[in-house]
Amino acid sequence: MLALELHNFVDDVGEVVDQAQKEDKMEQTLIKLEETWKSIEFCFDQHAETDVYLIRMQEQDFEMLEDNQLVVQGMMASKYLATFEEPVTKWQKDLSSVSDVLGIMLDVQRKWAYLETLFIGSEEVKRELPADAERFAGIDVDFKALLKGFNAEKNCVRACSVDGLVKKLDSLTGALELCEKSLADFLEAKRRIFPRFY
């Protein structure tokens, strides 16, 4: 019988065992990420009494997103990453997309909801700021189309991985900020004319 004499290679054997354990743990984590995010979806809340449904993420899902991003960051820093580099990099990108898109989308929704009451609901604002009212009408169409997309694909990872989505959101943010600025200037001018009403 051939003796392996492993006792002469304790460090080498220990290294191999350690690598195998770490890689197995990484593989299990990737399977768990896949299982978890397969079923996590955005929630939708009706805006005022309209047919518009704004997106949000449940608190526990948001906390898990943050936790999972840290887990993936840890895997990226592991010296045993090589075997799983592709799926780990993909998860880093996917979870980062969910986080970025959600952050921008919540900001866009907040600005849209505030401006919508004025640019669509106020005849005076439409009359006084026609160019911005027209700009907001375009924003309104694009924003509702985006929401429709989220509603059609509720899964957080798939919805946020759509090509060009961040670019569209950045463009909406810029256009909303222009409308906000015009509105602020308009209200400031009104304040100066009628200081006792403000």
Side-chain angles (χ1 to χ4, degrees):
M1 190 174 135
L2 184 66
L4 292 175
E5 298 189 7
L6 291 176
H7 61 280
N8 294 328
F9 307 97
V10 171
D11 289 346
D12 294 341
V13 171
E15 177 69 23
V16 169
V17 169
D18 187 46
Q19 179 170 350
Q21 287 173 335
K22 295 283 191 333
E23 285 183 353
D24 180 58
K25 188 176 179 218
M26 217 178 266
E27 190 173 15
Q28 295 311 314
T29 303
L30 287 166
I31 290 167
K32 193 170 173 226
L33 282 170
E34 191 69 49
E35 280 301 304
T36 301
W37 287 95
K38 196 163 61 180
S39 61
I40 294 187
E41 298 185 339
F42 284 119
C43 302
F44 295 85
D45 298 320
Q46 188 176 8
H47 171 64
E49 288 169 17
T50 67
D51 57 355
V52 175
Y53 285 81
L54 303 178
I55 74 162
R56 70 177 170 84
M57 192 181 233
Q58 288 191 53
E59 189 66 40
Q60 68 266 27
D61 292 343
F62 186 73
E63 283 168 13
M64 189 163 50
L65 171 64
E66 291 182 324
D67 290 347
N68 287 175
Q69 280 185 291
L70 289 174
V71 167
V72 170
Q73 217 174 333
M75 288 196 286
M76 285 300 282
S78 168
K79 65 176 180 176
Y80 304 118
L81 173 68
T83 312
F84 302 103
E85 189 163 1
E86 201 179 314
V88 172
T89 304
K90 184 184 181 306
W91 275 111
Q92 186 184 39
K93 184 172 170 278
D94 286 349
L95 296 179
S96 178
S97 287
V98 173
S99 180
D100 293 347
V101 167
L102 181 66
I104 304 170
M105 192 64 188
L106 293 176
D107 189 45
V108 165
Q109 286 183 161
R110 197 178 63 253
K111 288 179 172 152
W112 172 85
Y114 165 65
L115 294 172
E116 186 247 5
T117 54
L118 295 157
F119 280 107
I120 290 178
S122 164
E123 288 307 317
E124 185 188 6
V125 171
K126 283 196 264 192
R127 192 174 57 250
E128 297 281 343
L129 302 170
D132 291 285
E134 199 174 315
R135 178 184 292 119
F136 189 81
I139 292 168
D140 193 54
V141 169
D142 293 344
F143 174 67
K144 287 173 179 170
L146 266 183
L147 284 175
K148 209 165 270 184
F150 279 107
N151 221 313
E153 177 52 89
K154 294 176 176 66
N155 178 273
C156 294
V157 171
R158 288 195 299 272
C160 293
S161 301
V162 173
D163 276 346
L165 180 58
V166 171
K167 205 171 170 184
K168 268 188 204 160
L169 284 168
D170 286 342
S171 164
L172 273 178
T173 301
L176 282 163
E177 281 167 1
L178 288 174
C179 290
E180 268 185 324
K181 185 178 179 338
S182 295
L183 187 66
D185 293 347
F186 168 68
L187 293 174
E188 184 53 40
K190 285 274 185 214
R191 262 186 222 104
R192 281 199 297 272
I193 297 166
F194 305 109
R196 68 174 188 274
F197 289 122
Y198 292 93

